[in-house]
Amino acid sequence: MQVATTKKALIDALLHHKSVGLVPTMGALHSGHASLVKAARAENDTVVASIFVNPLQFEALGDCDDYRNYPRQLDADLALLEEAGVDIVFAPDVEEMYPGGLPLVWARTGSIGTKLEGASRPGHFDGVATVVAKLFNLVRPDRAYFGQKDAQQVAVIRRLVADLDIPVEIRPVPIIRGADGLAESSRNQRLSADQRAQALVLPQVLSALQRRKAAGEALDIQGARDTLASADGVRLDHLEIVDPATLEPLEIDGLLTQPALVVAAIFVGPVRLIDNIEL
Ligand code: PAF
C-alpha cells in the first residue's frame, strides 16, 4: 500500500492504473469504512482511500471544538486500510489540500443541502461537496463509495455529479450496525457506555417503523418523534419521512405507498448521532 501526502505523489501513484474506486474518509475508521473498501475492492483494479478531516464542513470552517476534537488516529487507520486491501492512501494536510488558505470558490448545494442535517449544520454540505469535487478531480475515479448512513450526503453527492457532469459512478453501501443495533460512526467513540445504551432508542424507533410498514400498518411518525424526544439522556434534533432522492418531506396519510426514507438525528450528551432506514 502506498501512502501519498501530496497531490503530486497521488497523481504519480495513479499513472497507468485501469479502473479506480475511491473511498473518501475523514479517518477514525471502523467496520463501516471497511465495508466501503470491500465494495470498492470487488469492482475496481485499484482502490484509493483518502483520509482528510475537512475543515470546510465543520462549524466556523473548522474553528470549533467538533473539528479540533475529531478523532485523529492515522497509524490505526492505515493498518485498517492495508488489511482491507487498499492500494493507495491519500492523506494530505490542510495546507496541501487548500494551499494559501481556504478556497474562495465552493460547490453550492442549494435546497438539498440546507434541509435536515444542513439546517442544523449550516454550510456543512457545501463543505462536503467542495472537498469531494476536489477529490474527484485529483483521483478521477470510475466509482466512488459512500456509506448510506449519511443518506443526505449520498443524495447531495449524486446531485453534485449530475449537476456538474462529473464522470463518476456513485455507489452507496448499506449501513453497518454493531451487535446492539447502533449504526457504526466515528462519533460513537465519544459515547460512554451509558450514553451508548441511551442512543439505542434511535435504531429501535427506526426498526419499529420498518416492522409496521412490513406488516401493512399505519406509520405514526409523530409518535416516533415523541418516543425519541422523551427518551432518557436524548435530545431530538429531527425525524422526518422523505423522498429518498430529493429529501423532500412526504405527506403520508398513515399508509405508505411509495419508496421513502426515514432520517433522524439525536444528541446524546454532546454527541450528535444520525441514522436512517428505507421503507
Ligand atoms: O463522510 C465523510 O467522512 C466526509 O463527509 C467525506 C465524504 C469524506 C468528505 O469530507
Side-chain angles (χ1 to χ4, degrees):
M1 185 175 80
Q2 275 177 274
V3 180
T5 55
T6 64
K7 294 171 186 172
K8 180 171 183 320
L10 171 71
I11 290 162
D12 288 350
L14 278 166
L15 287 176
H16 316 302
H17 278 282
K18 294 192 210 146
S19 64
V20 175
L22 172 65
V23 179
T25 83
M26 296 207 301
L29 304 179
H30 49 67
S31 55
H33 296 103
S35 77
L36 301 183
V37 173
K38 191 171 170 205
R41 188 70 280 164
E43 294 183 324
N44 302 277
D45 296 308
T46 299
V47 177
V48 179
S50 60
I51 300 178
F52 179 62
V53 186
N54 173 36
L56 265 53
Q57 65 192 75
F58 287 80
E59 199 187 317
L61 303 179
D63 189 12
C64 62
D65 286 347
D66 200 20
Y67 175 70
R68 281 188 283 269
N69 297 337
Y70 200 85
R72 289 164 173 87
Q73 45 174 62
L74 187 61
D75 290 346
D77 289 345
L78 293 178
L80 182 144
L81 294 176
E82 175 127 55
E83 169 77 26
V86 165
D87 300 298
I88 302 169
V89 178
F90 179 46
D93 64 15
V94 174
E95 176 57 26
E96 177 67 16
M97 206 57 181
Y98 301 119
L102 300 181
L104 287 181
V105 177
W106 291 47
R108 190 164 64 85
T109 56
S111 65
I112 200 167
T114 51
K115 53 169 76 93
L116 302 170
E117 282 299 283
S120 303
R121 307 177 67 189
H124 169 72
F125 286 111
D126 290 356
V128 170
T130 302
V131 79
V132 169
K134 283 169 73 79
L135 290 168
F136 287 167
N137 284 332
L138 289 164
V139 176
R140 314 256 163 148
D142 296 276
R143 300 173 193 86
Y145 298 79
F146 295 89
Q148 180 60 30
K149 183 176 81 67
D150 296 304
Q152 187 169 7
Q153 175 166 279
V154 171
V156 164
I157 289 165
R158 280 190 189 285
R159 284 305 298 247
L160 172 78
V161 304
D163 291 352
L164 300 188
D165 291 313
I166 304 178
V168 56
E169 214 175 302
I170 303 304
R171 294 275 213 239
V173 176
I175 297 177
I176 299 291
R177 296 183 182 279
D180 56 6
L182 193 66
E184 288 285 11
S185 163
S186 308
R187 287 165 193 263
N188 295 354
Q189 290 184 20
R190 292 166 56 197
L191 297 172
S192 67
D194 283 351
Q195 288 172 329
R196 183 170 178 119
Q198 290 170 331
L200 296 184
V201 68
L202 180 55
Q204 285 161 2
V205 160
L206 294 179
S207 53
L209 285 171
Q210 198 176 45
R211 280 197 302 277
R212 290 186 74 87
K213 162 77 173 43
E217 292 169 13
L219 298 178
D220 181 4
I221 297 297
Q222 189 52 46
R225 287 188 192 115
D226 294 344
T227 304
L228 290 175
S230 60
D232 263 359
V234 169
R235 185 157 60 84
L236 174 63
D237 185 285
H238 64 257
L239 181 143
E240 299 291 340
I241 184 159
V242 298
D243 178 291
T246 63
L247 304 178
E248 287 301 325
L250 293 178
E251 290 306 322
I252 59 159
D253 193 13
L255 291 178
L256 188 63
T257 51
Q258 64 193 101
L261 188 70
V262 179
V263 289
I266 59 171
F267 285 91
V268 182
V271 185
R272 190 164 186 283
L273 298 174
I274 59 174
D275 201 347
N276 66 82
I277 210 152
E278 283 178 48
L279 298 181

